[in-house]
Amino acid sequence: MTISRRKLLGAGTGLALTGAMSTACGSNTGREDGGSEAGKPALAQWYHQYGEPGAEQAVRRYAAAYDKAKVDVQWRPGNYDQQTAAALLTASGPDVFEVNGPSLDQIQGKQVIDLTELFDGVRDDFNPAVLAPKTYDGRLWSIPQTIDTQLLYYRKSMLADAKVRPPRTLDELIDVAKELTSDKVKGLFLGNDGGAGVLGGTPLYAAGLGLVTDDGEVGFDDPAAARALGKIRQLYADKSLLLGAPTDWSDPSAFIQGLTAMQWSGLWALPAVQKALGDDFGVLPFPKDGGSGKDTVPVGAYGAAVSARSKHKDAAKDFVKWLWIEKADFQEDFALSYGFHIPARISLAKKAQKLRSGPAADAVRFATESGYAQPLLWTPASQTAYQDALSRIIKDGANPDTELRSVVRKTNDELQRVRKKKP
C-alpha cells in the first residue's frame, strides 16, 4: 500500500495517532542493534510509504550524503502509524522516524525526545501553524518537513459568465455556489459526502473559533459555531453541492472536467489543474464567516522525531538538524520534486521558483497568513464525535446547536482526561 502526503489532510485536517498498538513491526529495523560502522553510529530512519514516484530514492540519497553516521532508511508499507506506535515501546524501533505529531500519548509517555534546542535561531522561520501541534509545554518534539494545505479552486471563466466575483465570505460562498449551479454544472464540490469528511474544523476557524483554545479549553462552545455549520448545511440543502462525482475531493478531475465551478482540494492538485486549464482558475482560502471570522486554510506537516529509546540520541539529533534545518536544497527538493508541497521553512517557501508566482504563490501566502493545524490536544475521540455530528448536520439537517452541545461535552471530558496524564 502506498500513501501520498495528501493523506495527512484527508480526515478532518489530520490523521489522528493513537497510543500503544499491538501490531507487530517486523524484525528488520535497520538499527543493527545500536552498533556502528567504520566508527560511525548506525541510525535507523523510518518513513511511511509515499505514493509520489521518486520520493524513496530521494530520501535514500539524502541519508547517503550524511557523513557523520551510517543512516539506514526504512521504507515502511502498511499501517505506518500503528507500526511506529508499537516500535517506540521496544528497543528495536527506529532512531529517527517520520510522524504526524508526535501524538500526545507519545510525548507524555516520554517515547520521544525534546528537540527544542535544534530550533535555536530558526524557530521563527518555520510556519507557526505547523509548529503548534508539535509543541507541548513550550517544547518542540519534531521538525516539520513539508506542508500540505487545502484550498478553494474556482474557474475564472464560469464566475465571469455568471457575473459573480470569487467569494470572500461564507455567505457569499453560499450565494455564488447557488448562482453557478445549473442542470449541467454544480456550484461547489466539497467531496462526495458534502464536506463532512474533509472540512473538519475549518468552518469553526473561519468563524473566528477553533477546536481547542491556546489554554486547553473547548474552542467552539459559542453560538457562532452552530451558525457556521448551519451554513454548510445550507449549501447541501440548496443542492449547490456536487455529489456522487467519479473521484473524491482530493482529485481535481471533477473541477477540470467542468462538473463543478468551484472545488475544495489540496495544493497537490495545482499542477494538474494548471496543465488542464492554464490561467483559467484561481485559489482562495476558506472564506471567513461573520464579523469575528477570518480566512482559513488547514495545513498539515509530517515531522522528523527522535525515539527516546535510541542508543545514539545525540547522533540522531545531529542528523535531523542537518537534514531538516541545515540542508535547504534537500528540503526544497523533497517538497517540490516529488509531488507539490510547501517547504516548512518560510524563507524557503518564499524563494522556491515553483512557488513564486500565480496561484502557487497565493497558496504559500494563504498557508503562512491563514493556516491552522489540528491541535495536539484534539484527541481521536473528540474528532470522531465532531465528525459524526458534522455529517448529521450537513446530510440529515440535524440541529447544529444540539449536535455541538454533545460534542462540547465529549471534548471537555477528553481535555480533562489528557490533562490528568500530564507528567
Side-chain angles (χ1 to χ4, degrees):
M1 179 180 69
T2 57
I3 306 171
S4 70
R5 279 173 265 192
R6 71 190 64 177
K7 295 295 184 184
L8 179 65
L9 287 165
T13 77
L15 294 174
L17 299 183
T18 58
M21 297 287 184
S22 60
T23 302
C25 299
S27 59
N28 179 21
T29 66
R31 179 180 282 176
E32 302 177 17
D33 197 29
S36 61
E37 183 174 307
K40 298 178 182 180
L43 303 176
Q45 182 186 25
W46 284 17
Y47 289 89
H48 79 277
Q49 189 178 17
Y50 287 95
E52 291 94 340
E56 180 180 1
Q57 291 76 15
V59 298
R60 293 189 185 282
R61 175 166 50 84
Y62 307 155
Y66 189 62
D67 61 8
K68 295 182 180 179
K70 170 62 176 176
V71 182
D72 183 72
V73 171
Q74 294 288 305
W75 204 247
R76 308 294 293 190
N79 192 323
Y80 178 82
D81 294 337
Q82 286 188 338
Q83 292 181 35
T84 52
L88 292 178
L89 301 177
T90 75
S92 60
D95 298 280
V96 176
F97 64 102
E98 182 180 61
V99 64
N100 176 30
S103 71
L104 191 60
D105 285 341
Q106 289 164 350
I107 295 171
Q108 291 181 331
K110 299 182 179 179
Q111 298 170 23
V112 292
I113 66 172
D114 180 356
L115 301 181
T116 309
E117 66 182 79
L118 305 186
F119 289 83
D120 287 350
V122 298
R123 184 167 181 165
D124 290 344
D125 193 36
F126 280 85
N127 185 306
V130 295
L131 276 188
K134 304 182 187 309
T135 306
Y136 184 66
D137 274 352
R139 315 299 293 173
L140 289 158
W141 301 90
S142 71
I143 304 175
Q145 297 173 173
T146 65
I147 298 172
D148 276 319
T149 187
Q150 296 167 1
L151 302 158
L152 180 64
Y153 290 78
Y154 66 92
R155 190 79 171 264
K156 292 180 179 179
S157 59
M158 288 187 177
L159 271 66
D161 289 345
K163 296 182 172 55
V164 295
R165 68 175 188 176
R168 299 294 180 176
T169 68
L170 184 52
D171 288 329
E172 287 185 9
L173 180 65
I174 294 170
D175 292 341
V176 170
K178 189 173 183 178
E179 185 69 24
L180 291 169
T181 296
S182 67
D183 293 339
K184 296 181 180 180
V185 178
K186 289 292 187 179
L188 178 62
F189 185 37
L190 297 175
N192 285 322
D193 62 357
V198 64
L199 289 181
T202 300
L204 303 179
Y205 285 86
L209 305 172
L211 295 169
V212 179
T213 65
D214 291 340
D215 55 358
E217 302 295 333
V218 179
F220 51 93
D221 189 6
D222 188 291
R227 289 196 295 269
L229 299 191
K231 291 178 181 181
I232 305 301
R233 162 62 186 178
Q234 186 62 48
L235 285 162
Y236 188 93
D238 285 346
K239 298 183 178 180
S240 301
L241 298 180
L242 174 64
L243 303 171
T247 57
D248 215 338
W249 67 271
S250 63
D251 189 305
S253 296
F255 182 68
I256 290 172
Q257 295 169 10
L259 302 179
T260 180
M262 299 182 290
Q263 178 174 336
W264 186 251
S265 191
L267 176 64
W268 55 82
L270 196 147
V273 173
Q274 197 157 42
K275 181 178 180 180
L277 302 181
D279 295 331
D280 189 22
F281 79 100
V283 295
L284 292 170
F286 193 88
K288 62 186 178 181
D289 182 42
S292 300
K294 56 186 179 182
D295 292 340
T296 300
V297 295
V299 297
Y302 278 105
V306 175
S307 170
R309 290 181 179 266
S310 171
K311 295 180 181 179
H312 298 296
K313 295 182 184 65
D314 288 340
K317 288 169 63 178
D318 289 343
F319 172 63
V320 296
K321 180 180 181 180
W322 172 84
L323 180 54
W324 297 115
I325 291 180
E326 296 174 356
K327 290 295 290 181
D329 55 339
F330 287 171
Q331 293 159 35
E332 183 174 339
D333 179 65
F334 190 61
L336 291 164
S337 298
Y338 322 98
F340 201 72
H341 316 274
I342 302 174
R345 297 281 295 274
I346 296 172
S347 59
L348 295 182
K350 287 182 177 179
K351 72 178 185 180
Q353 188 63 38
K354 293 181 179 180
L355 300 174
R356 294 185 65 180
S357 61
D362 291 337
V364 171
R365 178 166 54 86
F366 298 151
T368 304
E369 297 176 356
S370 306
Y372 86 91
Q374 190 164 282
L376 183 60
L377 295 179
W378 185 242
T379 69
S382 295
Q383 176 165 309
T384 298
Y386 175 77
Q387 291 296 135
D388 289 347
L390 183 57
S391 181
R392 289 190 292 269
I393 292 168
I394 294 174
K395 299 173 72 174
D396 302 333
N399 184 283
D401 287 299
T402 302
E403 292 289 337
L404 284 177
R405 279 198 294 271
S406 176
V407 182
V408 166
R409 289 193 295 269
K410 178 63 176 179
T411 302
N412 187 58
D413 289 344
E414 281 292 288
L415 291 172
Q416 291 187 37
R417 178 183 66 81
V418 298
R419 281 197 292 263
K420 288 179 181 177
K421 291 177 63 177
K422 183 176 178 179

